[in-house]
Amino acid sequence: MSLMAELNRKALGLGVPLSVHLDVTYRCNERCEHCYLEHDGENELTTAEIRNFLGQFAEAGVFFLTISGGEPLLRRDCFEIIAFARELGFNIKLKTNAVLIREKEARRLRELGIEQVQVSIYSHKPEVHDAITKLPGSLSRSLNGVRLMRAAGLKVTLANVLMRSNSADFAGVQQLAAETGAHYTVDPTITPMLNGDTAVLGLRLNSDELRAVFHDERLIQDAADFCAPPGPVDDAIREGIPCSAGHSACYVSPWGEVYPCVQFPLPCGDLRQQSFSEIWRNSAQLAEVRSIRAKDLTTCSSCSHLGTCTRCPGLAFMEGSMRGPSSADCEKSFVRTGITTAGMLADHSHSWHRTSRAQLVQIRL
C-alpha cells in the first residue's frame, strides 16, 4: 500500500479531516466561460479570520491544504496567508491562473516551500485560450508565469479542462507541459454554477468527443485497460464510501462556509458561527454524507460499473439526490466501456434541472 493510501485509510478510520480546499476569494481577473463561480468579493474572510481558521484546521489534523479562488493572488495578503499556513506545517497546493506571477512572486513561492502549483491552460492557441478566459493575452501571461515558477524550481501542473471549444487542442497543451517541464492533467468535467445555473453544461463534450478522449493513448495511459469492461462487484466495493468528500476532506468558501467538497454545495456549517472541529464532528449534513455506502445508492448499487465509475456525489446531489446517479458520470462510464449503466437502464434523465442554490440546500434525502 502506498503512503498516500495508508494516510487516507488512517484518516478515514480516525475521522480526521486530512485535507481542506480553501477558496480565499471568488474574485478573478479572468471570466472563464465554464466557471461555476460568481465573482463576488463582498464580505470575504479577513486576514485575521483566515489565520484563525488555519489554526483550527491544524488542530483538527488537517495536513493537505489547497489554496484557490477565484484568483487567490488578487488578495494582497495571499503571501501572508501562505506563509502562516506553512508555519503551521501544511503541505500546500496553490491553484492560480499565473497571470500575476512575476520573478518576485515565483521566487517567494519557492522560498515558502509550496508543494505544487496548478495552472489551468485550455489551449496552445492564444485565440482559443483567451476566448475561454475572456482576458486578452492571458495565455502568454500564464505561460510566462509557469516558466518563471519552473525556473524557480517549483513543481507545476498544467490542468487542461476539455470542452467543445478546445477539444482538439489537448496535444498542443501536452507539448507546452513538456516544453516547460510541467506535469499535465486532463479533465472533461464541466459542472453547474454554484447558484444552480446549468447553462454552462452546454459546453460539455458530446459522447463522440468523450469517447475519443477516453480511447486516446496520448491522454490515457493504458487506455485499453482504462476502457475495459468493469470487473465483478464484491462486498468490499458495496461497503465502500462513494468518495472522500466529507469523510477525510472538505471545502471552505471565501465566507467561511463549510461544504463536503467544492463540487458538493451542501452547507454543513459556518466558521464565523462555529469552530471547525464542532462542524466536522457534529454537522448533521456531514453525518448524512458519511452514512452512505455504495450499497445505499438508489440506482448505482445495482450497476456493474459500481467499482470503476467516477460518480461524483456532489454532481448527483445537484441533480436531486446525493444517493442517486450523476448522469455525466453515467455517460462517462458508458462511452469509456460501451456497457450501459444502471442509471441509463432506469431511464434516468440526462438533462439537468434548473435549480437555485436556495432550492438545492432544502433538498431532503
Side-chain angles (χ1 to χ4, degrees), residues 214-278:
F214 288 158
H215 290 261
D216 193 317
E217 299 222 3
R218 291 173 295 174
L219 286 174
I220 310 294
Q221 283 190 334
D222 200 356
D225 182 60
F226 179 71
C227 296
V233 176
D234 58 22
D235 288 342
I237 291 173
R238 294 188 184 92
E239 293 294 336
I241 61 172
C243 84
S244 63
H247 291 267
S248 60
C250 68
Y251 165 68
V252 177
S253 80
W255 299 285
E257 303 158 328
V258 178
Y259 299 88
C261 173
V262 68
Q263 290 185 173
F264 198 157
L266 172 69
C268 299
D270 187 336
L271 290 173
R272 282 172 162 163
Q273 298 178 13
Q274 295 174 277
S275 74
F276 179 71
S277 290
E278 286 174 329

Short mmCIF file of all heavy atoms in Angstrom, two decimals, residues 214-278:
data_model
loop_
_atom_site.label_atom_id
_atom_site.label_comp_id
_atom_site.label_asym_id
_atom_site.label_seq_id
_atom_site.Cartn_x
_atom_site.Cartn_y
_atom_site.Cartn_z
N PHE A 214 -11.27 9.26 -24.12
CA PHE A 214 -11.03 8.11 -23.26
C PHE A 214 -10.26 6.99 -23.96
O PHE A 214 -9.67 6.14 -23.29
CB PHE A 214 -12.36 7.56 -22.73
CG PHE A 214 -13.01 8.44 -21.70
CD1 PHE A 214 -14.37 8.36 -21.47
CD2 PHE A 214 -12.27 9.35 -20.98
CE1 PHE A 214 -14.98 9.15 -20.51
CE2 PHE A 214 -12.87 10.16 -20.02
CZ PHE A 214 -14.23 10.07 -19.79
N HIS A 215 -10.28 6.98 -25.28
CA HIS A 215 -9.59 5.92 -26.01
C HIS A 215 -8.29 6.40 -26.64
O HIS A 215 -7.67 5.65 -27.40
CB HIS A 215 -10.53 5.35 -27.10
CG HIS A 215 -11.66 4.57 -26.55
ND1 HIS A 215 -11.67 3.18 -26.48
CD2 HIS A 215 -12.85 4.97 -26.00
CE1 HIS A 215 -12.80 2.77 -25.94
NE2 HIS A 215 -13.53 3.83 -25.64
N ASP A 216 -7.86 7.61 -26.30
CA ASP A 216 -6.65 8.16 -26.88
C ASP A 216 -5.47 7.91 -25.94
O ASP A 216 -5.43 8.45 -24.82
CB ASP A 216 -6.82 9.68 -27.10
CG ASP A 216 -5.73 10.27 -27.97
OD1 ASP A 216 -4.55 9.91 -27.77
OD2 ASP A 216 -6.05 11.08 -28.86
N GLU A 217 -4.51 7.13 -26.38
CA GLU A 217 -3.39 6.76 -25.52
C GLU A 217 -2.45 7.92 -25.25
O GLU A 217 -1.59 7.84 -24.36
CB GLU A 217 -2.63 5.57 -26.12
CG GLU A 217 -3.50 4.34 -26.24
CD GLU A 217 -2.78 3.06 -25.84
OE1 GLU A 217 -1.62 3.14 -25.41
OE2 GLU A 217 -3.40 2.01 -25.94
N ARG A 218 -2.59 9.02 -25.98
CA ARG A 218 -1.81 10.21 -25.64
C ARG A 218 -2.33 10.86 -24.37
O ARG A 218 -1.60 11.56 -23.67
CB ARG A 218 -1.87 11.22 -26.79
CG ARG A 218 -1.14 10.78 -28.05
CD ARG A 218 -1.40 11.76 -29.18
NE ARG A 218 -2.80 11.78 -29.58
CZ ARG A 218 -3.32 12.62 -30.47
NH1 ARG A 218 -2.53 13.53 -31.07
NH2 ARG A 218 -4.60 12.57 -30.78
N LEU A 219 -3.61 10.64 -24.08
CA LEU A 219 -4.23 11.22 -22.90
C LEU A 219 -4.34 10.23 -21.75
O LEU A 219 -4.19 10.59 -20.59
CB LEU A 219 -5.65 11.72 -23.24
CG LEU A 219 -5.73 12.99 -24.07
CD1 LEU A 219 -7.17 13.28 -24.44
CD2 LEU A 219 -5.16 14.16 -23.29
N ILE A 220 -4.66 9.00 -22.06
CA ILE A 220 -4.91 7.98 -21.04
C ILE A 220 -3.85 6.90 -21.14
O ILE A 220 -3.79 6.16 -22.13
CB ILE A 220 -6.31 7.35 -21.22
CG1 ILE A 220 -7.39 8.44 -21.35
CG2 ILE A 220 -6.60 6.38 -20.09
CD1 ILE A 220 -7.59 9.26 -20.11
N GLN A 221 -3.02 6.80 -20.13
CA GLN A 221 -2.04 5.73 -20.12
C GLN A 221 -2.77 4.40 -20.01
O GLN A 221 -3.67 4.24 -19.19
CB GLN A 221 -1.08 5.88 -18.94
CG GLN A 221 -0.03 6.94 -19.16
CD GLN A 221 1.04 6.90 -18.07
OE1 GLN A 221 0.79 6.45 -16.97
NE2 GLN A 221 2.22 7.37 -18.41
N ASP A 222 -2.37 3.45 -20.85
CA ASP A 222 -3.01 2.13 -20.88
C ASP A 222 -4.53 2.28 -21.09
O ASP A 222 -5.35 1.84 -20.30
CB ASP A 222 -2.74 1.36 -19.59
CG ASP A 222 -2.95 -0.15 -19.78
OD1 ASP A 222 -3.37 -0.54 -20.88
OD2 ASP A 222 -2.71 -0.90 -18.83
N ALA A 223 -4.88 2.94 -22.19
CA ALA A 223 -6.28 3.20 -22.50
C ALA A 223 -7.08 1.91 -22.63
O ALA A 223 -8.27 1.87 -22.29
CB ALA A 223 -6.40 4.03 -23.78
N ALA A 224 -6.43 0.84 -23.12
CA ALA A 224 -7.15 -0.42 -23.27
C ALA A 224 -7.65 -0.92 -21.92
O ALA A 224 -8.79 -1.41 -21.80
CB ALA A 224 -6.23 -1.46 -23.92
N ASP A 225 -6.81 -0.80 -20.89
CA ASP A 225 -7.23 -1.23 -19.55
C ASP A 225 -8.26 -0.27 -18.99
O ASP A 225 -9.25 -0.69 -18.37
CB ASP A 225 -6.00 -1.29 -18.64
CG ASP A 225 -6.35 -1.78 -17.24
OD1 ASP A 225 -6.85 -2.91 -17.12
OD2 ASP A 225 -6.13 -1.03 -16.27
N PHE A 226 -8.07 1.04 -19.19
CA PHE A 226 -8.99 2.06 -18.69
C PHE A 226 -10.39 1.86 -19.27
O PHE A 226 -11.39 2.09 -18.59
CB PHE A 226 -8.45 3.43 -19.06
CG PHE A 226 -9.31 4.59 -18.64
CD1 PHE A 226 -9.43 4.94 -17.30
CD2 PHE A 226 -10.00 5.34 -19.58
CE1 PHE A 226 -10.22 6.01 -16.91
CE2 PHE A 226 -10.79 6.42 -19.20
CZ PHE A 226 -10.88 6.75 -17.87
N CYS A 227 -10.46 1.42 -20.52
CA CYS A 227 -11.74 1.28 -21.21
C CYS A 227 -12.27 -0.15 -21.19
O CYS A 227 -13.25 -0.47 -21.88
CB CYS A 227 -11.62 1.78 -22.65
SG CYS A 227 -11.24 3.54 -22.76
N ALA A 228 -11.62 -1.02 -20.43
CA ALA A 228 -12.06 -2.41 -20.35
C ALA A 228 -13.38 -2.52 -19.60
O ALA A 228 -13.74 -1.63 -18.82
CB ALA A 228 -10.99 -3.24 -19.64
N PRO A 229 -14.14 -3.58 -19.84
CA PRO A 229 -15.39 -3.79 -19.09
C PRO A 229 -15.13 -3.81 -17.59
O PRO A 229 -14.06 -4.25 -17.15
CB PRO A 229 -15.87 -5.15 -19.59
CG PRO A 229 -15.22 -5.32 -20.92
CD PRO A 229 -13.90 -4.65 -20.83
N PRO A 230 -16.07 -3.33 -16.78
CA PRO A 230 -15.86 -3.33 -15.34
C PRO A 230 -15.77 -4.74 -14.78
O PRO A 230 -16.38 -5.68 -15.31
CB PRO A 230 -17.11 -2.61 -14.80
CG PRO A 230 -18.14 -2.77 -15.88
CD PRO A 230 -17.38 -2.79 -17.17
N GLY A 231 -14.99 -4.90 -13.71
CA GLY A 231 -14.83 -6.19 -13.07
C GLY A 231 -16.00 -6.50 -12.15
O GLY A 231 -16.93 -5.71 -12.01
N PRO A 232 -15.95 -7.66 -11.48
CA PRO A 232 -17.03 -8.05 -10.59
C PRO A 232 -17.15 -7.10 -9.40
O PRO A 232 -16.16 -6.52 -8.94
CB PRO A 232 -16.63 -9.46 -10.14
CG PRO A 232 -15.16 -9.53 -10.37
CD PRO A 232 -14.89 -8.68 -11.56
N VAL A 233 -18.37 -6.94 -8.90
CA VAL A 233 -18.64 -6.08 -7.75
C VAL A 233 -18.73 -6.98 -6.52
O VAL A 233 -19.61 -7.83 -6.41
CB VAL A 233 -19.96 -5.30 -7.93
CG1 VAL A 233 -20.28 -4.50 -6.68
CG2 VAL A 233 -19.85 -4.38 -9.15
N ASP A 234 -17.79 -6.80 -5.58
CA ASP A 234 -17.78 -7.64 -4.39
C ASP A 234 -18.24 -6.86 -3.16
O ASP A 234 -18.59 -5.68 -3.24
CB ASP A 234 -16.39 -8.24 -4.17
CG ASP A 234 -15.30 -7.16 -4.02
OD1 ASP A 234 -15.64 -6.01 -3.68
OD2 ASP A 234 -14.13 -7.48 -4.23
N ASP A 235 -18.24 -7.52 -2.01
CA ASP A 235 -18.73 -6.88 -0.78
C ASP A 235 -17.88 -5.69 -0.37
O ASP A 235 -18.40 -4.71 0.19
CB ASP A 235 -18.77 -7.91 0.36
CG ASP A 235 -19.89 -8.93 0.19
OD1 ASP A 235 -20.82 -8.64 -0.59
OD2 ASP A 235 -19.83 -9.98 0.84
N ALA A 236 -16.58 -5.75 -0.63
CA ALA A 236 -15.71 -4.63 -0.28
C ALA A 236 -16.11 -3.38 -1.04
O ALA A 236 -16.10 -2.27 -0.49
CB ALA A 236 -14.25 -4.99 -0.56
N ILE A 237 -16.47 -3.54 -2.30
CA ILE A 237 -16.92 -2.41 -3.11
C ILE A 237 -18.26 -1.90 -2.59
O ILE A 237 -18.47 -0.69 -2.44
CB ILE A 237 -17.01 -2.80 -4.59
CG1 ILE A 237 -15.61 -3.04 -5.16
CG2 ILE A 237 -17.75 -1.73 -5.40
CD1 ILE A 237 -15.59 -3.60 -6.56
N ARG A 238 -19.17 -2.81 -2.29
CA ARG A 238 -20.51 -2.41 -1.82
C ARG A 238 -20.44 -1.68 -0.49
O ARG A 238 -21.27 -0.81 -0.20
CB ARG A 238 -21.41 -3.64 -1.70
CG ARG A 238 -21.74 -4.30 -3.02
CD ARG A 238 -22.79 -5.40 -2.85
NE ARG A 238 -23.02 -6.09 -4.10
CZ ARG A 238 -22.36 -7.20 -4.47
NH1 ARG A 238 -21.45 -7.74 -3.66
NH2 ARG A 238 -22.62 -7.76 -5.63
N GLU A 239 -19.48 -2.03 0.35
CA GLU A 239 -19.35 -1.39 1.66
C GLU A 239 -18.48 -0.14 1.61
O GLU A 239 -18.31 0.54 2.62
CB GLU A 239 -18.74 -2.37 2.67
CG GLU A 239 -19.63 -3.56 3.01
CD GLU A 239 -20.90 -3.16 3.75
OE1 GLU A 239 -20.90 -2.09 4.40
OE2 GLU A 239 -21.89 -3.92 3.69
N GLY A 240 -17.95 0.18 0.43
CA GLY A 240 -17.07 1.32 0.29
C GLY A 240 -17.81 2.64 0.31
O GLY A 240 -19.02 2.72 0.09
N ILE A 241 -17.07 3.73 0.57
CA ILE A 241 -17.66 5.06 0.56
C ILE A 241 -17.58 5.62 -0.86
O ILE A 241 -16.67 5.30 -1.61
CB ILE A 241 -16.95 6.01 1.54
CG1 ILE A 241 -15.47 6.18 1.18
CG2 ILE A 241 -17.09 5.49 2.97
CD1 ILE A 241 -14.76 7.24 1.98
N PRO A 242 -18.55 6.45 -1.25
CA PRO A 242 -18.57 6.98 -2.61
C PRO A 242 -17.34 7.80 -2.98
O PRO A 242 -16.84 7.73 -4.10
CB PRO A 242 -19.84 7.84 -2.63
CG PRO A 242 -20.73 7.22 -1.60
CD PRO A 242 -19.79 6.77 -0.52
N CYS A 243 -16.84 8.64 -2.05
CA CYS A 243 -15.60 9.38 -2.26
C CYS A 243 -15.17 9.98 -0.93
O CYS A 243 -15.86 9.82 0.08
CB CYS A 243 -15.75 10.45 -3.36
SG CYS A 243 -16.45 12.01 -2.80
N SER A 244 -14.05 10.68 -0.91
CA SER A 244 -13.51 11.19 0.36
C SER A 244 -14.23 12.45 0.85
O SER A 244 -14.02 12.87 1.99
CB SER A 244 -12.02 11.48 0.21
OG SER A 244 -11.81 12.50 -0.76
N ALA A 245 -15.08 13.06 0.00
CA ALA A 245 -15.76 14.30 0.38
C ALA A 245 -16.56 14.12 1.66
O ALA A 245 -17.43 13.25 1.75
CB ALA A 245 -16.68 14.76 -0.75
N GLY A 246 -16.27 14.94 2.67
CA GLY A 246 -16.97 14.86 3.94
C GLY A 246 -16.44 13.79 4.87
O GLY A 246 -16.80 13.77 6.06
N HIS A 247 -15.60 12.90 4.36
CA HIS A 247 -15.03 11.82 5.18
C HIS A 247 -13.63 12.18 5.66
O HIS A 247 -13.35 12.10 6.86
CB HIS A 247 -14.97 10.53 4.37
CG HIS A 247 -16.31 9.93 4.08
ND1 HIS A 247 -16.89 8.98 4.88
CD2 HIS A 247 -17.19 10.16 3.07
CE1 HIS A 247 -18.07 8.63 4.38
NE2 HIS A 247 -18.27 9.34 3.27
N SER A 248 -12.75 12.54 4.74
CA SER A 248 -11.40 12.96 5.12
C SER A 248 -11.02 14.27 4.44
O SER A 248 -9.88 14.69 4.51
CB SER A 248 -10.37 11.88 4.76
OG SER A 248 -10.39 11.62 3.36
N ALA A 249 -12.00 14.90 3.81
CA ALA A 249 -11.74 16.15 3.08
C ALA A 249 -12.98 17.03 3.10
O ALA A 249 -14.10 16.53 3.24
CB ALA A 249 -11.34 15.85 1.64
N CYS A 250 -12.77 18.33 2.96
CA CYS A 250 -13.91 19.24 2.86
C CYS A 250 -13.47 20.53 2.17
O CYS A 250 -12.28 20.74 1.87
CB CYS A 250 -14.51 19.55 4.24
SG CYS A 250 -13.43 20.52 5.32
N TYR A 251 -14.43 21.39 1.93
CA TYR A 251 -14.21 22.65 1.22
C TYR A 251 -14.70 23.80 2.08
O TYR A 251 -15.74 23.69 2.76
CB TYR A 251 -14.98 22.63 -0.11
CG TYR A 251 -15.12 23.99 -0.77
CD1 TYR A 251 -14.01 24.64 -1.29
CD2 TYR A 251 -16.35 24.62 -0.85
CE1 TYR A 251 -14.13 25.89 -1.89
CE2 TYR A 251 -16.48 25.87 -1.45
CZ TYR A 251 -15.37 26.50 -1.96
OH TYR A 251 -15.48 27.73 -2.55
N VAL A 252 -13.96 24.91 2.06
CA VAL A 252 -14.34 26.12 2.79
C VAL A 252 -14.38 27.29 1.81
O VAL A 252 -13.41 27.53 1.08
CB VAL A 252 -13.36 26.42 3.94
CG1 VAL A 252 -13.75 27.72 4.65
CG2 VAL A 252 -13.35 25.26 4.94
N SER A 253 -15.49 28.01 1.80
CA SER A 253 -15.69 29.12 0.87
C SER A 253 -15.03 30.39 1.39
O SER A 253 -14.59 30.47 2.54
CB SER A 253 -17.19 29.37 0.69
OG SER A 253 -17.70 30.13 1.79
N PRO A 254 -14.96 31.45 0.55
CA PRO A 254 -14.38 32.72 0.99
C PRO A 254 -15.16 33.41 2.09
O PRO A 254 -14.72 34.44 2.62
CB PRO A 254 -14.38 33.57 -0.29
CG PRO A 254 -14.44 32.59 -1.41
CD PRO A 254 -15.27 31.47 -0.90
N TRP A 255 -16.32 32.88 2.46
CA TRP A 255 -17.12 33.42 3.55
C TRP A 255 -17.11 32.51 4.78
O TRP A 255 -17.84 32.73 5.73
CB TRP A 255 -18.56 33.66 3.08
CG TRP A 255 -18.61 34.64 1.96
CD1 TRP A 255 -18.45 36.00 2.03
CD2 TRP A 255 -18.79 34.35 0.58
NE1 TRP A 255 -18.53 36.56 0.78
CE2 TRP A 255 -18.75 35.57 -0.14
CE3 TRP A 255 -19.01 33.17 -0.14
CZ2 TRP A 255 -18.89 35.65 -1.52
CZ3 TRP A 255 -19.15 33.25 -1.52
CH2 TRP A 255 -19.09 34.47 -2.19
N GLY A 256 -16.30 31.46 4.73
CA GLY A 256 -16.19 30.57 5.87
C GLY A 256 -17.24 29.48 5.93
O GLY A 256 -17.38 28.80 6.95
N GLU A 257 -17.97 29.29 4.84
CA GLU A 257 -18.97 28.22 4.80
C GLU A 257 -18.26 26.89 4.52
O GLU A 257 -17.35 26.83 3.70
CB GLU A 257 -19.99 28.48 3.68
CG GLU A 257 -20.70 29.81 3.81
CD GLU A 257 -21.29 30.28 2.49
OE1 GLU A 257 -20.69 29.98 1.43
OE2 GLU A 257 -22.33 30.95 2.52
N VAL A 258 -18.68 25.85 5.22
CA VAL A 258 -18.07 24.53 5.07
C VAL A 258 -18.99 23.62 4.26
O VAL A 258 -20.20 23.54 4.52
CB VAL A 258 -17.78 23.89 6.45
CG1 VAL A 258 -17.17 22.50 6.29
CG2 VAL A 258 -16.86 24.80 7.26
N TYR A 259 -18.41 22.94 3.28
CA TYR A 259 -19.12 22.01 2.42
C TYR A 259 -18.31 20.70 2.33
O TYR A 259 -17.11 20.70 2.59
CB TYR A 259 -19.27 22.58 1.00
CG TYR A 259 -20.04 23.87 0.93
CD1 TYR A 259 -19.39 25.10 1.08
CD2 TYR A 259 -21.41 23.89 0.70
CE1 TYR A 259 -20.08 26.30 1.01
CE2 TYR A 259 -22.12 25.08 0.63
CZ TYR A 259 -21.45 26.28 0.78
OH TYR A 259 -22.14 27.47 0.71
N PRO A 260 -18.95 19.60 1.93
CA PRO A 260 -18.17 18.37 1.77
C PRO A 260 -17.08 18.49 0.71
O PRO A 260 -16.02 17.88 0.82
CB PRO A 260 -19.23 17.33 1.35
CG PRO A 260 -20.53 17.89 1.81
CD PRO A 260 -20.39 19.38 1.69
N CYS A 261 -17.36 19.29 -0.34
CA CYS A 261 -16.43 19.42 -1.46
C CYS A 261 -16.82 20.66 -2.25
O CYS A 261 -17.97 21.12 -2.17
CB CYS A 261 -16.49 18.17 -2.35
SG CYS A 261 -15.56 18.26 -3.89
N VAL A 262 -15.89 21.20 -3.03
CA VAL A 262 -16.18 22.37 -3.84
C VAL A 262 -17.25 22.05 -4.89
O VAL A 262 -17.94 22.95 -5.38
CB VAL A 262 -14.89 22.89 -4.51
CG1 VAL A 262 -14.36 21.92 -5.55
CG2 VAL A 262 -15.11 24.28 -5.11
N GLN A 263 -17.41 20.77 -5.26
CA GLN A 263 -18.44 20.38 -6.22
C GLN A 263 -19.66 19.77 -5.53
O GLN A 263 -20.46 19.12 -6.18
CB GLN A 263 -17.87 19.37 -7.23
CG GLN A 263 -16.86 19.99 -8.18
CD GLN A 263 -16.38 19.03 -9.24
OE1 GLN A 263 -15.66 19.41 -10.16
NE2 GLN A 263 -16.75 17.77 -9.14
N PHE A 264 -19.79 20.00 -4.23
CA PHE A 264 -20.87 19.38 -3.46
C PHE A 264 -21.49 20.47 -2.59
O PHE A 264 -21.18 20.60 -1.41
CB PHE A 264 -20.27 18.27 -2.59
CG PHE A 264 -21.25 17.27 -2.05
CD1 PHE A 264 -20.82 16.00 -1.69
CD2 PHE A 264 -22.59 17.56 -1.88
CE1 PHE A 264 -21.69 15.06 -1.18
CE2 PHE A 264 -23.48 16.63 -1.38
CZ PHE A 264 -23.02 15.37 -1.02
N PRO A 265 -22.38 21.31 -3.16
CA PRO A 265 -22.86 22.52 -2.48
C PRO A 265 -23.93 22.25 -1.41
O PRO A 265 -25.03 22.80 -1.44
CB PRO A 265 -23.41 23.36 -3.63
CG PRO A 265 -23.90 22.36 -4.62
CD PRO A 265 -22.92 21.22 -4.54
N LEU A 266 -23.59 21.41 -0.44
CA LEU A 266 -24.46 21.13 0.70
C LEU A 266 -23.87 21.85 1.92
O LEU A 266 -22.86 21.41 2.46
CB LEU A 266 -24.52 19.62 0.96
CG LEU A 266 -25.24 19.18 2.23
CD1 LEU A 266 -26.75 19.45 2.12
CD2 LEU A 266 -24.99 17.70 2.52
N PRO A 267 -24.46 22.96 2.36
CA PRO A 267 -23.90 23.69 3.50
C PRO A 267 -23.90 22.83 4.76
O PRO A 267 -24.91 22.24 5.12
CB PRO A 267 -24.85 24.88 3.66
CG PRO A 267 -25.52 25.03 2.34
CD PRO A 267 -25.65 23.63 1.81
N CYS A 268 -22.74 22.77 5.42
CA CYS A 268 -22.59 21.93 6.60
C CYS A 268 -22.25 22.73 7.85
O CYS A 268 -22.22 22.16 8.95
CB CYS A 268 -21.50 20.88 6.36
SG CYS A 268 -21.85 19.77 4.98
N GLY A 269 -21.99 24.00 7.71
CA GLY A 269 -21.66 24.83 8.85
C GLY A 269 -21.01 26.12 8.42
O GLY A 269 -20.67 26.31 7.25
N ASP A 270 -20.85 27.04 9.38
CA ASP A 270 -20.29 28.36 9.11
C ASP A 270 -19.22 28.65 10.15
O ASP A 270 -19.50 28.70 11.35
CB ASP A 270 -21.41 29.41 9.20
CG ASP A 270 -20.97 30.80 8.78
OD1 ASP A 270 -19.76 31.09 8.85
OD2 ASP A 270 -21.83 31.61 8.40
N LEU A 271 -17.98 28.82 9.69
CA LEU A 271 -16.87 29.04 10.61
C LEU A 271 -16.96 30.37 11.35
O LEU A 271 -16.27 30.57 12.35
CB LEU A 271 -15.54 28.96 9.84
CG LEU A 271 -15.15 27.56 9.36
CD1 LEU A 271 -13.92 27.63 8.47
CD2 LEU A 271 -14.90 26.63 10.54
N ARG A 272 -17.79 31.25 10.87
CA ARG A 272 -17.99 32.51 11.59
C ARG A 272 -18.95 32.32 12.76
O ARG A 272 -19.14 33.23 13.57
CB ARG A 272 -18.51 33.58 10.64
CG ARG A 272 -17.40 34.17 9.76
CD ARG A 272 -17.93 35.09 8.69
NE ARG A 272 -16.86 35.96 8.16
CZ ARG A 272 -16.94 36.63 7.03
NH1 ARG A 272 -18.03 36.53 6.27
NH2 ARG A 272 -15.93 37.40 6.64
N GLN A 273 -19.57 31.15 12.85
CA GLN A 273 -20.52 30.88 13.92
C GLN A 273 -20.11 29.70 14.80
O GLN A 273 -20.49 29.62 15.97
CB GLN A 273 -21.91 30.62 13.34
CG GLN A 273 -22.47 31.80 12.57
CD GLN A 273 -23.83 31.51 11.95
OE1 GLN A 273 -24.47 30.52 12.28
NE2 GLN A 273 -24.26 32.36 11.05
N GLN A 274 -19.35 28.75 14.23
CA GLN A 274 -18.92 27.56 14.97
C GLN A 274 -17.45 27.28 14.67
O GLN A 274 -16.93 27.72 13.65
CB GLN A 274 -19.73 26.33 14.53
CG GLN A 274 -21.20 26.36 14.83
CD GLN A 274 -21.86 25.14 14.19
OE1 GLN A 274 -22.19 25.17 13.01
NE2 GLN A 274 -22.04 24.08 14.97
N SER A 275 -16.82 26.53 15.56
CA SER A 275 -15.44 26.14 15.29
C SER A 275 -15.42 25.05 14.22
O SER A 275 -16.41 24.34 14.00
CB SER A 275 -14.78 25.63 16.57
OG SER A 275 -15.26 24.33 16.91
N PHE A 276 -14.26 24.92 13.58
CA PHE A 276 -14.11 23.89 12.56
C PHE A 276 -14.33 22.50 13.14
O PHE A 276 -15.03 21.67 12.54
CB PHE A 276 -12.73 23.98 11.91
CG PHE A 276 -12.49 22.94 10.85
CD1 PHE A 276 -13.14 23.00 9.63
CD2 PHE A 276 -11.63 21.88 11.09
CE1 PHE A 276 -12.95 22.04 8.65
CE2 PHE A 276 -11.41 20.91 10.11
CZ PHE A 276 -12.07 20.98 8.89
N SER A 277 -13.78 22.23 14.31
CA SER A 277 -13.93 20.90 14.91
C SER A 277 -15.38 20.60 15.25
O SER A 277 -15.83 19.46 15.08
CB SER A 277 -13.06 20.79 16.18
OG SER A 277 -11.70 20.75 15.84
N GLU A 278 -16.12 21.61 15.73
CA GLU A 278 -17.54 21.40 16.03
C GLU A 278 -18.30 21.02 14.77
O GLU A 278 -19.13 20.10 14.78
CB GLU A 278 -18.14 22.66 16.64
CG GLU A 278 -17.72 22.91 18.08
CD GLU A 278 -18.22 24.26 18.59
OE1 GLU A 278 -18.35 25.21 17.78
OE2 GLU A 278 -18.48 24.35 19.80
#
